[in-house]
Amino acid sequence: MSIKDNLSAIRTTLPAHVTLVAVSKFHPAERIEQAYAAGQRTFGESRVQELTTKQSVLPTDIEWHMIGHLQTNKVRAIAPFVALIQSVDSARLTECIDREAARCGRVIDCLMEIHVAQEESKSGWAFDELVRYLHSEAFAALHNIRIRGVMGMATNTDDKQIVREDFEHLARCFRELAPLFDEHFDTLSMGMSDDYPLAVECGSTMVRVGSSIFGTREY
Ligand SMILES: *Cc1c(COP(=O)(O)O)cnc(C)c1O
């Protein structure tokens, strides 16, 4: 199937309130152009160098999401154009994004990445640490970031029950944080190629789908 066919097959299964982020990491710009021609405008990348290179050659109405681990020394390169940073996982990174956004005269939309999976290797906030930070004076002093919601990944397992529990856990975190923010706190980003239908069942409003659109990646 073509990228266009893959996209329409996925779109027909998604409720209208769910945003599809096409994860284009490791795929060349030409493949992104095919998705763009099929109407896709939101793309996710996991590495800063790749993101900035693609952004510089592709149409300017693409909304670029950063979905991978972000080092503070790389924030400046994406701050002028990034539409959503989904992978904010520390106070230091939050404050760096705020500073770089101010430098560009922007307010940058962000998601807080929460660690729920059983693998230690995955990044993200421990929920209680995040809650503590969101109540801190340091966080209250930031004016150039807008927290739109949370992002997370389920445990990498074939056991659907564990995946469901991880998604329900993320949905609970999302609901518990919502009262701290205004109506712009509306995004629960969870679900990838293998598990997005289950994520949507559990309340996802944003799915990040790569291989089901573009095929398998060659690393
Ligand atoms: C690569 C990646 C995805 C997409 O994964 P697929 O299995 O190819 O759909 C989603 N989210 C994050 C954070 C990723 O790094």
Side-chain angles (χ1 to χ4, degrees):
M1 294 224 293
S2 67
I3 288 173
K4 183 169 187 266
D5 292 339
N6 292 339
L7 276 169
S8 44
I10 294 165
R11 284 193 194 116
T12 55
T13 70
L14 292 178
H17 68 276
V18 177
T19 302
L20 173 60
V21 179
V23 176
S24 47
K25 62 186 186 197
F26 300 98
H27 294 288
E30 303 80 71
R31 314 237 337 130
I32 300 178
E33 278 167 352
Q34 291 172 35
Y36 183 90
Q40 183 66 29
R41 292 293 179 273
T42 307
F43 293 88
E45 289 283 339
S46 61
R47 296 187 307 186
V48 166
Q49 181 61 55
E50 194 176 341
L51 175 53
T52 54
T53 304
K54 288 173 173 171
Q55 190 269 339
S56 69
V57 299
L58 285 159
T60 53
D61 63 341
I62 288 179
E63 285 191 18
W64 293 103
H65 290 193
M66 178 64 193
I67 64 169
H69 182 68
L70 180 57
Q71 289 169 279
T72 52
N73 63 356
K74 303 265 176 77
V75 174
R76 186 163 296 181
I78 60 171
F81 67 86
V82 71
L84 180 65
I85 300 177
Q86 296 207 13
S87 42
V88 181
D89 59 1
S90 71
R92 205 165 92 86
L93 179 60
T94 310
E95 285 151 28
C96 175
I97 294 168
D98 186 76
R99 230 173 13 252
E100 294 300 331
R103 230 178 137 256
C104 316
R106 297 188 67 204
V107 173
I108 295 182
D109 282 348
C110 294
L111 302 181
M112 290 300 189
E113 180 175 358
I114 299 177
H115 185 276
V116 297
Q118 291 177 5
E119 296 104 335
E120 280 302 319
S121 59
K122 295 225 165 105
S123 47
W125 292 88
F127 185 65
D128 54 343
E129 277 173 32
L130 173 59
V131 170
R132 221 173 307 132
Y133 178 61
L134 294 175
H135 283 101
S136 71
E137 283 177 26
F139 179 72
L142 309 181
H143 298 292
N144 292 81
I145 54 162
R146 182 165 67 170
I147 308 301
R148 298 295 306 267
V150 308
M151 184 270 253
M153 270 183 272
T155 305
N156 188 6
T157 170
D158 292 331
D159 186 336
K160 289 292 168 208
Q161 190 51 34
I162 293 177
V163 175
R164 177 181 290 277
E165 280 164 20
D166 287 347
F167 287 150
E168 284 172 350
H169 187 176
L170 284 167
R172 225 159 37 238
C173 293
F174 175 69
R175 282 195 305 274
E176 281 180 35
L177 295 177
L180 301 176
F181 299 94
D182 64 12
E183 71 280 7
H184 298 291
F185 190 87
D186 58 4
T187 305
L188 174 54
S189 174
M190 59 185 194
M192 325 203 310
S193 291
D194 287 341
D195 55 22
Y196 72 85
L198 184 50
V200 170
E201 258 181 57
C202 298
S204 173
T205 68
M206 180 173 279
V207 295
R208 311 176 307 271
V209 179
S211 22
S212 292
I213 298 172
F214 295 106
T216 52
R217 291 177 287 271
E218 287 178 33
Y219 291 92

